[in-house]
mmCIF file of all heavy atoms in Angstrom:
data_model
loop_
_atom_site.group_PDB
_atom_site.id
_atom_site.type_symbol
_atom_site.label_atom_id
_atom_site.label_comp_id
_atom_site.label_asym_id
_atom_site.label_seq_id
_atom_site.Cartn_x
_atom_site.Cartn_y
_atom_site.Cartn_z
ATOM 1 N N ASP X 1071 -1.423 18.000 -0.999
ATOM 2 C CA ASP X 1071 -2.720 18.229 -1.644
ATOM 3 C C ASP X 1071 -3.749 17.254 -1.077
ATOM 4 O O ASP X 1071 -3.726 16.069 -1.396
ATOM 5 C CB ASP X 1071 -2.590 18.052 -3.157
ATOM 6 C CG ASP X 1071 -3.817 18.549 -3.909
ATOM 7 O OD1 ASP X 1071 -4.733 19.093 -3.261
ATOM 8 O OD2 ASP X 1071 -3.864 18.390 -5.138
ATOM 9 N N GLU X 1072 -4.615 17.740 -0.204
ATOM 10 C CA GLU X 1072 -5.652 16.927 0.436
ATOM 11 C C GLU X 1072 -5.048 15.654 1.041
ATOM 12 O O GLU X 1072 -5.534 14.542 0.787
ATOM 13 C CB GLU X 1072 -6.745 16.567 -0.570
ATOM 14 C CG GLU X 1072 -7.466 17.753 -1.180
ATOM 15 C CD GLU X 1072 -8.536 18.346 -0.257
ATOM 16 O OE1 GLU X 1072 -8.689 17.857 0.882
ATOM 17 O OE2 GLU X 1072 -9.203 19.308 -0.679
ATOM 18 N N PRO X 1073 -4.004 15.754 1.868
ATOM 19 C CA PRO X 1073 -3.319 14.545 2.344
ATOM 20 C C PRO X 1073 -4.131 13.710 3.318
ATOM 21 O O PRO X 1073 -3.771 12.561 3.594
ATOM 22 C CB PRO X 1073 -2.066 15.109 3.029
ATOM 23 C CG PRO X 1073 -2.490 16.459 3.505
ATOM 24 C CD PRO X 1073 -3.403 16.977 2.426
ATOM 25 N N THR X 1074 -5.218 14.256 3.852
ATOM 26 C CA THR X 1074 -6.053 13.497 4.792
ATOM 27 C C THR X 1074 -7.407 13.132 4.189
ATOM 28 O O THR X 1074 -8.279 12.625 4.884
ATOM 29 C CB THR X 1074 -6.283 14.298 6.089
ATOM 30 O OG1 THR X 1074 -7.007 15.502 5.780
ATOM 31 C CG2 THR X 1074 -4.967 14.673 6.742
ATOM 32 N N GLY X 1075 -7.572 13.386 2.897
ATOM 33 C CA GLY X 1075 -8.882 13.230 2.274
ATOM 34 C C GLY X 1075 -9.436 11.818 2.312
ATOM 35 O O GLY X 1075 -10.651 11.628 2.315
ATOM 36 N N ASN X 1076 -8.566 10.800 2.330
ATOM 37 C CA ASN X 1076 -9.025 9.410 2.316
ATOM 38 C C ASN X 1076 -8.851 8.724 3.666
ATOM 39 O O ASN X 1076 -8.915 7.490 3.745
ATOM 40 C CB ASN X 1076 -8.252 8.616 1.245
ATOM 41 C CG ASN X 1076 -8.579 9.071 -0.156
ATOM 42 O OD1 ASN X 1076 -9.718 9.421 -0.447
ATOM 43 N ND2 ASN X 1076 -7.588 9.076 -1.033
ATOM 44 N N LEU X 1077 -8.643 9.514 4.728
ATOM 45 C CA LEU X 1077 -8.301 8.939 6.020
ATOM 46 C C LEU X 1077 -9.369 9.228 7.075
ATOM 47 O O LEU X 1077 -10.104 10.205 6.981
ATOM 48 C CB LEU X 1077 -6.950 9.488 6.488
ATOM 49 C CG LEU X 1077 -5.782 9.345 5.493
ATOM 50 C CD1 LEU X 1077 -4.537 10.006 6.062
ATOM 51 C CD2 LEU X 1077 -5.510 7.879 5.169
ATOM 52 N N ASP X 1078 -9.419 8.375 8.090
ATOM 53 C CA ASP X 1078 -10.349 8.596 9.198
ATOM 54 C C ASP X 1078 -9.838 9.730 10.078
ATOM 55 O O ASP X 1078 -8.669 10.122 9.990
ATOM 56 C CB ASP X 1078 -10.516 7.311 10.015
ATOM 57 C CG ASP X 1078 -9.203 6.861 10.652
ATOM 58 O OD1 ASP X 1078 -8.830 7.418 11.700
ATOM 59 O OD2 ASP X 1078 -8.540 5.965 10.091
ATOM 60 N N PRO X 1079 -10.719 10.298 10.953
ATOM 61 C CA PRO X 1079 -10.323 11.483 11.749
ATOM 62 C C PRO X 1079 -9.077 11.282 12.600
ATOM 63 O O PRO X 1079 -8.225 12.167 12.674
ATOM 64 C CB PRO X 1079 -11.565 11.734 12.610
ATOM 65 C CG PRO X 1079 -12.699 11.204 11.799
ATOM 66 C CD PRO X 1079 -12.155 9.995 11.105
ATOM 67 N N GLU X 1080 -8.954 10.130 13.246
ATOM 68 C CA GLU X 1080 -7.790 9.905 14.118
ATOM 69 C C GLU X 1080 -6.501 9.844 13.309
ATOM 70 O O GLU X 1080 -5.490 10.460 13.668
ATOM 71 C CB GLU X 1080 -7.974 8.604 14.907
ATOM 72 C CG GLU X 1080 -6.829 8.329 15.881
ATOM 73 C CD GLU X 1080 -7.043 7.070 16.693
ATOM 74 O OE1 GLU X 1080 -8.127 6.454 16.573
ATOM 75 O OE2 GLU X 1080 -6.131 6.695 17.452
ATOM 76 N N THR X 1081 -6.537 9.130 12.184
ATOM 77 C CA THR X 1081 -5.365 9.039 11.324
ATOM 78 C C THR X 1081 -5.046 10.397 10.717
ATOM 79 O O THR X 1081 -3.874 10.781 10.595
ATOM 80 C CB THR X 1081 -5.594 8.002 10.217
ATOM 81 O OG1 THR X 1081 -5.945 6.746 10.809
ATOM 82 C CG2 THR X 1081 -4.348 7.831 9.370
ATOM 83 N N SER X 1082 -6.091 11.144 10.356
ATOM 84 C CA SER X 1082 -5.897 12.483 9.795
ATOM 85 C C SER X 1082 -5.163 13.388 10.772
ATOM 86 O O SER X 1082 -4.266 14.148 10.391
ATOM 87 C CB SER X 1082 -7.251 13.103 9.427
ATOM 88 O OG SER X 1082 -7.877 12.380 8.399
ATOM 89 N N ALA X 1083 -5.544 13.318 12.041
ATOM 90 C CA ALA X 1083 -4.888 14.137 13.060
ATOM 91 C C ALA X 1083 -3.410 13.775 13.178
ATOM 92 O O ALA X 1083 -2.557 14.652 13.353
ATOM 93 C CB ALA X 1083 -5.588 13.959 14.404
ATOM 94 N N GLY X 1084 -3.090 12.488 13.043
ATOM 95 C CA GLY X 1084 -1.694 12.064 13.086
ATOM 96 C C GLY X 1084 -0.890 12.609 11.914
ATOM 97 O O GLY X 1084 0.258 13.033 12.081
ATOM 98 N N ILE X 1085 -1.500 12.627 10.730
ATOM 99 C CA ILE X 1085 -0.828 13.158 9.547
ATOM 100 C C ILE X 1085 -0.619 14.666 9.691
ATOM 101 O O ILE X 1085 0.439 15.204 9.350
ATOM 102 C CB ILE X 1085 -1.636 12.843 8.279
ATOM 103 C CG1 ILE X 1085 -1.701 11.329 8.045
ATOM 104 C CG2 ILE X 1085 -1.051 13.566 7.075
ATOM 105 C CD1 ILE X 1085 -0.358 10.652 7.888
ATOM 106 N N MET X 1086 -1.634 15.355 10.223
ATOM 107 C CA MET X 1086 -1.508 16.793 10.457
ATOM 108 C C MET X 1086 -0.352 17.096 11.406
ATOM 109 O O MET X 1086 0.407 18.046 11.203
ATOM 110 C CB MET X 1086 -2.810 17.344 11.020
ATOM 111 C CG MET X 1086 -3.964 17.365 10.038
ATOM 112 S SD MET X 1086 -3.758 18.621 8.770
ATOM 113 C CE MET X 1086 -3.875 20.101 9.771
ATOM 114 N N GLN X 1087 -0.214 16.275 12.453
ATOM 115 C CA GLN X 1087 0.861 16.489 13.417
ATOM 116 C C GLN X 1087 2.217 16.256 12.765
ATOM 117 O O GLN X 1087 3.178 17.001 13.023
ATOM 118 C CB GLN X 1087 0.689 15.550 14.608
ATOM 119 C CG GLN X 1087 1.698 15.787 15.725
ATOM 120 C CD GLN X 1087 1.589 17.179 16.334
ATOM 121 O OE1 GLN X 1087 0.510 17.590 16.764
ATOM 122 N NE2 GLN X 1087 2.693 17.909 16.363
ATOM 123 N N LEU X 1088 2.305 15.250 11.899
ATOM 124 C CA LEU X 1088 3.554 15.004 11.180
ATOM 125 C C LEU X 1088 3.957 16.217 10.344
ATOM 126 O O LEU X 1088 5.115 16.637 10.354
ATOM 127 C CB LEU X 1088 3.404 13.785 10.265
ATOM 128 C CG LEU X 1088 3.568 12.401 10.878
ATOM 129 C CD1 LEU X 1088 3.281 11.332 9.829
ATOM 130 C CD2 LEU X 1088 4.966 12.217 11.442
ATOM 131 N N LEU X 1089 2.994 16.786 9.627
ATOM 132 C CA LEU X 1089 3.283 17.955 8.795
ATOM 133 C C LEU X 1089 3.684 19.158 9.648
ATOM 134 O O LEU X 1089 4.561 19.936 9.273
ATOM 135 C CB LEU X 1089 2.069 18.287 7.929
ATOM 136 C CG LEU X 1089 1.729 17.248 6.861
ATOM 137 C CD1 LEU X 1089 0.402 17.581 6.190
ATOM 138 C CD2 LEU X 1089 2.833 17.154 5.811
ATOM 139 N N LEU X 1090 3.035 19.304 10.802
ATOM 140 C CA LEU X 1090 3.406 20.381 11.716
ATOM 141 C C LEU X 1090 4.834 20.203 12.216
ATOM 142 O O LEU X 1090 5.615 21.160 12.273
ATOM 143 C CB LEU X 1090 2.429 20.426 12.887
ATOM 144 C CG LEU X 1090 2.687 21.483 13.963
ATOM 145 C CD1 LEU X 1090 2.653 22.886 13.369
ATOM 146 C CD2 LEU X 1090 1.666 21.358 15.101
ATOM 147 N N ASP X 1091 5.197 18.977 12.569
ATOM 148 C CA ASP X 1091 6.556 18.697 13.035
ATOM 149 C C ASP X 1091 7.581 18.996 11.938
ATOM 150 O O ASP X 1091 8.675 19.489 12.212
ATOM 151 C CB ASP X 1091 6.673 17.235 13.478
ATOM 152 C CG ASP X 1091 5.876 16.942 14.740
ATOM 153 O OD1 ASP X 1091 5.503 17.898 15.456
ATOM 154 O OD2 ASP X 1091 5.609 15.751 14.997
ATOM 155 N N ILE X 1092 7.218 18.694 10.698
ATOM 156 C CA ILE X 1092 8.113 18.972 9.573
ATOM 157 C C ILE X 1092 8.361 20.473 9.448
ATOM 158 O O ILE X 1092 9.487 20.927 9.229
ATOM 159 C CB ILE X 1092 7.528 18.390 8.272
ATOM 160 C CG1 ILE X 1092 7.604 16.868 8.300
ATOM 161 C CG2 ILE X 1092 8.262 18.936 7.046
ATOM 162 C CD1 ILE X 1092 6.788 16.187 7.222
ATOM 163 N N SER X 1093 7.305 21.263 9.599
ATOM 164 C CA SER X 1093 7.478 22.716 9.509
ATOM 165 C C SER X 1093 8.343 23.236 10.653
ATOM 166 O O SER X 1093 9.132 24.163 10.470
ATOM 167 C CB SER X 1093 6.115 23.419 9.503
ATOM 168 O OG SER X 1093 5.493 23.371 10.768
ATOM 169 N N LYS X 1094 8.227 22.632 11.822
ATOM 170 C CA LYS X 1094 9.043 23.050 12.964
ATOM 171 C C LYS X 1094 10.518 22.749 12.741
ATOM 172 O O LYS X 1094 11.380 23.352 13.383
ATOM 173 C CB LYS X 1094 8.552 22.362 14.237
ATOM 174 C CG LYS X 1094 7.204 22.884 14.737
ATOM 175 C CD LYS X 1094 6.759 22.148 15.986
ATOM 176 C CE LYS X 1094 5.441 22.690 16.515
ATOM 177 N NZ LYS X 1094 4.955 21.949 17.704
ATOM 178 N N SER X 1095 10.814 21.818 11.826
ATOM 179 C CA SER X 1095 12.211 21.497 11.532
ATOM 180 C C SER X 1095 12.819 22.486 10.541
ATOM 181 O O SER X 1095 13.985 22.339 10.159
ATOM 182 C CB SER X 1095 12.308 20.073 10.971
ATOM 183 O OG SER X 1095 11.794 20.009 9.653
ATOM 184 N N GLY X 1096 12.012 23.482 10.099
ATOM 185 C CA GLY X 1096 12.540 24.532 9.238
ATOM 186 C C GLY X 1096 12.078 24.495 7.809
ATOM 187 O O GLY X 1096 12.388 25.397 7.023
ATOM 188 N N ARG X 1097 11.316 23.453 7.441
ATOM 189 C CA ARG X 1097 10.784 23.402 6.081
ATOM 190 C C ARG X 1097 9.455 24.144 6.018
ATOM 191 O O ARG X 1097 8.690 24.154 6.976
ATOM 192 C CB ARG X 1097 10.575 21.957 5.646
ATOM 193 C CG ARG X 1097 11.847 21.113 5.614
ATOM 194 C CD ARG X 1097 11.500 19.703 5.146
ATOM 195 N NE ARG X 1097 12.655 18.830 5.162
ATOM 196 C CZ ARG X 1097 12.997 18.059 6.172
ATOM 197 N NH1 ARG X 1097 12.287 18.103 7.291
ATOM 198 N NH2 ARG X 1097 14.053 17.292 6.110
ATOM 199 N N SER X 1098 9.171 24.732 4.873
ATOM 200 C CA SER X 1098 7.863 25.343 4.659
ATOM 201 C C SER X 1098 6.890 24.251 4.220
ATOM 202 O O SER X 1098 7.232 23.391 3.405
ATOM 203 C CB SER X 1098 7.936 26.421 3.579
ATOM 204 O OG SER X 1098 8.852 27.422 3.958
ATOM 205 N N VAL X 1099 5.678 24.277 4.769
ATOM 206 C CA VAL X 1099 4.651 23.308 4.417
ATOM 207 C C VAL X 1099 3.408 24.069 3.966
ATOM 208 O O VAL X 1099 2.902 24.926 4.688
ATOM 209 C CB VAL X 1099 4.295 22.391 5.611
ATOM 210 C CG1 VAL X 1099 3.148 21.448 5.231
ATOM 211 C CG2 VAL X 1099 5.514 21.597 6.060
ATOM 212 N N LEU X 1100 2.941 23.763 2.763
ATOM 213 C CA LEU X 1100 1.723 24.364 2.231
ATOM 214 C C LEU X 1100 0.746 23.233 1.949
ATOM 215 O O LEU X 1100 1.032 22.343 1.161
ATOM 216 C CB LEU X 1100 2.020 25.147 0.951
ATOM 217 C CG LEU X 1100 0.893 26.016 0.413
ATOM 218 C CD1 LEU X 1100 0.638 27.194 1.345
ATOM 219 C CD2 LEU X 1100 1.238 26.535 -0.977
ATOM 220 N N MET X 1101 -0.390 23.286 2.613
ATOM 221 C CA MET X 1101 -1.357 22.197 2.533
ATOM 222 C C MET X 1101 -2.682 22.711 2.006
ATOM 223 O O MET X 1101 -3.197 23.735 2.461
ATOM 224 C CB MET X 1101 -1.554 21.585 3.912
ATOM 225 C CG MET X 1101 -2.654 20.543 3.990
ATOM 226 S SD MET X 1101 -2.780 19.853 5.647
ATOM 227 C CE MET X 1101 -4.259 18.852 5.454
ATOM 228 N N ALA X 1102 -3.248 22.000 1.026
ATOM 229 C CA ALA X 1102 -4.578 22.321 0.511
ATOM 230 C C ALA X 1102 -5.568 21.304 1.063
ATOM 231 O O ALA X 1102 -5.297 20.098 1.046
ATOM 232 C CB ALA X 1102 -4.584 22.283 -1.010
ATOM 233 N N THR X 1103 -6.705 21.781 1.538
ATOM 234 C CA THR X 1103 -7.708 20.876 2.100
ATOM 235 C C THR X 1103 -9.085 21.517 2.079
ATOM 236 O O THR X 1103 -9.209 22.739 2.026
ATOM 237 C CB THR X 1103 -7.355 20.485 3.549
ATOM 238 O OG1 THR X 1103 -8.306 19.534 4.038
ATOM 239 C CG2 THR X 1103 -7.340 21.701 4.463
ATOM 240 N N HIS X 1104 -10.116 20.664 2.093
ATOM 241 C CA HIS X 1104 -11.478 21.158 2.258
ATOM 242 C C HIS X 1104 -12.021 20.784 3.633
ATOM 243 O O HIS X 1104 -13.171 21.061 3.947
ATOM 244 C CB HIS X 1104 -12.395 20.576 1.164
ATOM 245 C CG HIS X 1104 -12.572 19.088 1.275
ATOM 246 N ND1 HIS X 1104 -11.719 18.194 0.663
ATOM 247 C CD2 HIS X 1104 -13.485 18.345 1.928
ATOM 248 C CE1 HIS X 1104 -12.114 16.963 0.933
ATOM 249 N NE2 HIS X 1104 -13.174 17.024 1.705
ATOM 250 N N ASP X 1105 -11.181 20.157 4.478
ATOM 251 C CA ASP X 1105 -11.613 19.677 5.790
ATOM 252 C C ASP X 1105 -11.334 20.741 6.848
ATOM 253 O O ASP X 1105 -10.234 20.841 7.382
ATOM 254 C CB ASP X 1105 -10.885 18.377 6.133
ATOM 255 C CG ASP X 1105 -11.437 17.705 7.382
ATOM 256 O OD1 ASP X 1105 -12.243 18.351 8.093
ATOM 257 O OD2 ASP X 1105 -11.073 16.552 7.643
ATOM 258 N N TYR X 1106 -12.350 21.532 7.153
ATOM 259 C CA TYR X 1106 -12.188 22.639 8.091
ATOM 260 C C TYR X 1106 -12.049 22.165 9.540
ATOM 261 O O TYR X 1106 -11.562 22.892 10.394
ATOM 262 C CB TYR X 1106 -13.382 23.596 7.988
ATOM 263 C CG TYR X 1106 -13.480 24.320 6.674
ATOM 264 C CD1 TYR X 1106 -14.096 23.722 5.574
ATOM 265 C CD2 TYR X 1106 -12.941 25.587 6.508
ATOM 266 C CE1 TYR X 1106 -14.173 24.373 4.353
ATOM 267 C CE2 TYR X 1106 -13.017 26.255 5.296
ATOM 268 C CZ TYR X 1106 -13.640 25.638 4.221
ATOM 269 O OH TYR X 1106 -13.715 26.275 3.015
ATOM 270 N N SER X 1107 -12.482 20.952 9.830
ATOM 271 C CA SER X 1107 -12.548 20.501 11.216
ATOM 272 C C SER X 1107 -11.173 20.289 11.841
ATOM 273 O O SER X 1107 -11.016 20.345 13.064
ATOM 274 C CB SER X 1107 -13.346 19.193 11.305
ATOM 275 O OG SER X 1107 -12.685 18.151 10.593
ATOM 276 N N LEU X 1108 -10.142 20.054 11.004
ATOM 277 C CA LEU X 1108 -8.836 19.703 11.538
ATOM 278 C C LEU X 1108 -8.082 20.882 12.141
ATOM 279 O O LEU X 1108 -7.289 20.725 13.058
ATOM 280 C CB LEU X 1108 -7.978 19.084 10.436
ATOM 281 C CG LEU X 1108 -8.385 17.687 9.957
ATOM 282 C CD1 LEU X 1108 -7.593 17.324 8.716
ATOM 283 C CD2 LEU X 1108 -8.162 16.664 11.052
ATOM 284 N N PHE X 1109 -8.337 22.083 11.633
ATOM 285 C CA PHE X 1109 -7.409 23.171 11.908
ATOM 286 C C PHE X 1109 -7.629 23.888 13.231
ATOM 287 O O PHE X 1109 -6.837 24.723 13.623
ATOM 288 C CB PHE X 1109 -7.423 24.160 10.739
ATOM 289 C CG PHE X 1109 -6.701 23.598 9.562
ATOM 290 C CD1 PHE X 1109 -7.384 22.864 8.616
ATOM 291 C CD2 PHE X 1109 -5.341 23.728 9.439
ATOM 292 C CE1 PHE X 1109 -6.715 22.307 7.549
ATOM 293 C CE2 PHE X 1109 -4.663 23.176 8.374
ATOM 294 C CZ PHE X 1109 -5.354 22.465 7.431
ATOM 295 N N ASN X 1110 -8.688 23.533 13.941
ATOM 296 C CA ASN X 1110 -8.851 24.065 15.287
ATOM 297 C C ASN X 1110 -7.819 23.472 16.238
ATOM 298 O O ASN X 1110 -7.527 24.037 17.280
ATOM 299 C CB ASN X 1110 -10.267 23.779 15.802
ATOM 300 C CG ASN X 1110 -11.310 24.555 15.040
ATOM 301 O OD1 ASN X 1110 -11.049 25.655 14.569
ATOM 302 N ND2 ASN X 1110 -12.491 23.985 14.899
ATOM 303 N N LYS X 1111 -7.263 22.310 15.860
ATOM 304 C CA LYS X 1111 -6.342 21.594 16.738
ATOM 305 C C LYS X 1111 -4.879 21.858 16.420
ATOM 306 O O LYS X 1111 -4.006 21.492 17.192
ATOM 307 C CB LYS X 1111 -6.605 20.083 16.634
ATOM 308 C CG LYS X 1111 -8.034 19.680 16.961
ATOM 309 C CD LYS X 1111 -8.224 18.190 16.714
ATOM 310 C CE LYS X 1111 -9.663 17.773 16.964
ATOM 311 N NZ LYS X 1111 -9.885 16.337 16.675
ATOM 312 N N PHE X 1112 -4.615 22.491 15.276
ATOM 313 C CA PHE X 1112 -3.233 22.623 14.831
ATOM 314 C C PHE X 1112 -2.919 24.069 14.469
ATOM 315 O O PHE X 1112 -3.639 24.675 13.692
ATOM 316 C CB PHE X 1112 -2.979 21.717 13.622
ATOM 317 C CG PHE X 1112 -3.143 20.260 13.929
ATOM 318 C CD1 PHE X 1112 -4.370 19.637 13.730
ATOM 319 C CD2 PHE X 1112 -2.097 19.529 14.441
ATOM 320 C CE1 PHE X 1112 -4.541 18.298 14.019
ATOM 321 C CE2 PHE X 1112 -2.253 18.190 14.743
ATOM 322 C CZ PHE X 1112 -3.476 17.573 14.531
ATOM 323 N N PRO X 1113 -1.854 24.621 15.055
ATOM 324 C CA PRO X 1113 -1.479 26.001 14.725
ATOM 325 C C PRO X 1113 -0.949 26.093 13.304
ATOM 326 O O PRO X 1113 -0.030 25.382 12.918
ATOM 327 C CB PRO X 1113 -0.373 26.315 15.747
ATOM 328 C CG PRO X 1113 0.193 24.982 16.114
ATOM 329 C CD PRO X 1113 -0.935 24.007 16.021
ATOM 330 N N SER X 1114 -1.575 26.920 12.498
ATOM 331 C CA SER X 1114 -1.124 27.093 11.125
ATOM 332 C C SER X 1114 -1.650 28.418 10.611
ATOM 333 O O SER X 1114 -2.545 29.022 11.192
ATOM 334 C CB SER X 1114 -1.637 25.956 10.233
ATOM 335 O OG SER X 1114 -3.050 25.986 10.182
ATOM 336 N N ARG X 1115 -1.078 28.864 9.532
ATOM 337 C CA ARG X 1115 -1.591 30.025 8.828
ATOM 338 C C ARG X 1115 -2.711 29.532 7.931
ATOM 339 O O ARG X 1115 -2.480 28.683 7.060
ATOM 340 C CB ARG X 1115 -0.482 30.632 7.991
ATOM 341 C CG ARG X 1115 -0.863 31.918 7.312
ATOM 342 C CD ARG X 1115 -0.734 33.098 8.251
ATOM 343 N NE ARG X 1115 -1.074 34.337 7.604
ATOM 344 C CZ ARG X 1115 -0.976 35.518 8.204
ATOM 345 N NH1 ARG X 1115 -0.536 35.586 9.444
ATOM 346 N NH2 ARG X 1115 -1.301 36.612 7.567
ATOM 347 N N THR X 1116 -3.923 30.016 8.141
ATOM 348 C CA THR X 1116 -5.080 29.475 7.445
ATOM 349 C C THR X 1116 -5.656 30.491 6.474
ATOM 350 O O THR X 1116 -5.955 31.626 6.855
ATOM 351 C CB THR X 1116 -6.170 29.048 8.449
ATOM 352 O OG1 THR X 1116 -5.601 28.164 9.403
ATOM 353 C CG2 THR X 1116 -7.306 28.350 7.732
ATOM 354 N N LEU X 1117 -5.788 30.084 5.231
ATOM 355 C CA LEU X 1117 -6.310 30.928 4.170
ATOM 356 C C LEU X 1117 -7.498 30.220 3.535
ATOM 357 O O LEU X 1117 -7.394 29.051 3.165
ATOM 358 C CB LEU X 1117 -5.240 31.191 3.122
ATOM 359 C CG LEU X 1117 -3.956 31.803 3.679
ATOM 360 C CD1 LEU X 1117 -2.811 31.599 2.714
ATOM 361 C CD2 LEU X 1117 -4.155 33.275 3.967
ATOM 362 N N LYS X 1118 -8.606 30.920 3.423
ATOM 363 C CA LYS X 1118 -9.840 30.326 2.914
ATOM 364 C C LYS X 1118 -10.091 30.777 1.485
ATOM 365 O O LYS X 1118 -10.219 31.963 1.209
ATOM 366 C CB LYS X 1118 -11.013 30.717 3.812
ATOM 367 C CG LYS X 1118 -12.332 30.065 3.422
ATOM 368 C CD LYS X 1118 -13.416 30.495 4.393
ATOM 369 C CE LYS X 1118 -14.772 29.907 3.987
ATOM 370 N NZ LYS X 1118 -15.843 30.376 4.898
#
């Protein structure tokens, strides 16, 4: 739930990559966010 909301852009990108890696290991990851800028860099299913 808004896991990058209190973080700077570089740190946020690192957290996003961690969550992506977790999903690649077979776990489902559902993330809520209002930060649209991050998702151009990370493949995900995006729902607005």
Side-chain angles (χ1 to χ4, degrees):
D1071 192 4
E1072 300 281 2
T1074 63
N1076 293 324
L1077 307 177
D1078 62 80
E1080 182 178 355
T1081 305
S1082 295
I1085 296 301
M1086 290 288 294
Q1087 185 62 54
L1088 278 176
L1089 293 172
L1090 179 60
D1091 292 343
I1092 289 167
S1093 72
K1094 289 179 178 178
S1095 72
R1097 299 181 183 93
S1098 301
V1099 176
L1100 190 69
M1101 173 179 173
T1103 184
H1104 66 271
D1105 189 349
Y1106 294 84
S1107 64
L1108 290 170
F1109 286 90
N1110 292 329
K1111 303 175 183 178
F1112 297 92
S1114 63
R1115 185 82 179 183
T1116 306
L1117 304 161
K1118 184 179 177 183

